[in-house]
Amino acid sequence: MARRYDPERRQRIIDAAIRVVGAKGIAGLSHRSAAAEADVPLGSTTYHFKTLDELLVAALRQANEGFAKVIASRGGLEDPRTDLAAELAAWMGEWLAGDRTGVELEHELYLAALRRPALRPVAAEWADGVAQLLSRHTDPLTARALVAVIDGICLQVLLTGVPYDEEYAREVLGRVLAGATE
């Protein structure tokens, strides 16, 4: 029997892995569960992703695109006169108000880097990319501090169930920015 050419199979496996992690957490992801969710043979998952970490790296890269899309869609960083604290607080609000499962998934994959060293470079790419974007408006050290504050506020909202407070976020981010000018 001839193999059927399926150029979208790899992407379907990544999408399936994201759905599995969204529903069952990282502990529920295996080559077998991804194959079942993607409706592909088990051998397809191991062909495209030799290890589970390779699949998780691909899933994390794709999940990271969610926040990048929020940033790109707003376009507020193009104006040098942008109130950076207000813009960042609005980013977080838009991101956290979106698909909650997606936001939780991104954080779960991001935090998985604590135990899975293969994920660390991808987590670092996200932080470095956002810091680089923010460095257009402030110095690199302050940009990294802003990324840390964004991470912290988002994680607190996700873990505590407390509603996102955009005014609070703007105030905290503004204080970090004010400290940079002193």
Side-chain angles (χ1 to χ4, degrees):
M1 182 173 177
R3 288 177 51 167
R4 200 176 103 226
Y5 177 65
D6 184 358
E8 300 299 317
R9 186 170 288 189
R10 183 178 193 283
Q11 184 59 51
R12 283 201 333 268
I13 293 167
I14 295 168
D15 293 341
I18 288 172
R19 287 191 303 273
V20 169
V21 172
K24 301 176 183 174
I26 288 177
L29 181 65
S30 64
H31 279 99
R32 189 172 304 285
S33 65
E37 180 68 26
D39 194 25
V40 299
L42 177 60
S44 290
T45 61
T46 56
Y47 172 79
H48 290 288
F49 304 98
K50 302 290 182 239
T51 67
L52 200 54
D53 279 351
E54 285 181 22
L55 180 54
L56 283 167
V57 163
L60 180 56
R61 278 215 165 90
Q62 184 165 311
N64 282 346
E65 292 171 7
F67 191 70
K69 285 177 186 173
V70 170
I71 293 170
S73 71
R74 291 190 54 83
L77 289 182
E78 282 145 40
D79 184 352
R81 298 166 301 190
T82 294
D83 177 346
L84 190 55
E87 183 65 19
L88 294 174
W91 279 0
M92 285 190 287
E94 190 173 318
W95 187 54
L96 289 165
D99 174 27
R100 179 71 176 222
T101 303
V103 174
E104 289 172 356
L105 169 79
E106 288 177 56
H107 273 78
E108 184 167 359
L109 288 167
Y110 186 60
L111 291 172
L114 290 169
R115 301 271 185 223
R116 293 179 175 268
L119 296 177
R120 290 179 188 159
V122 183
E125 284 171 18
W126 177 87
D128 292 343
V130 175
Q132 204 168 29
L133 199 62
L134 299 178
S135 290
R136 297 180 198 164
H137 294 272
T138 189
D139 63 279
L141 183 62
T142 302
R144 297 289 301 181
L146 292 169
V147 171
V149 170
I150 290 168
D151 277 347
I153 290 173
C154 289
L155 194 56
Q156 285 178 355
V157 168
L158 292 171
L159 293 176
T160 64
V162 173
Y164 175 67
D165 182 344
E166 190 169 319
E167 183 57 34
Y168 164 77
R170 191 196 59 69
E171 177 68 26
V172 171
L173 292 162
R175 288 180 185 198
V176 171
L177 287 163
T181 60
E182 294 176 357

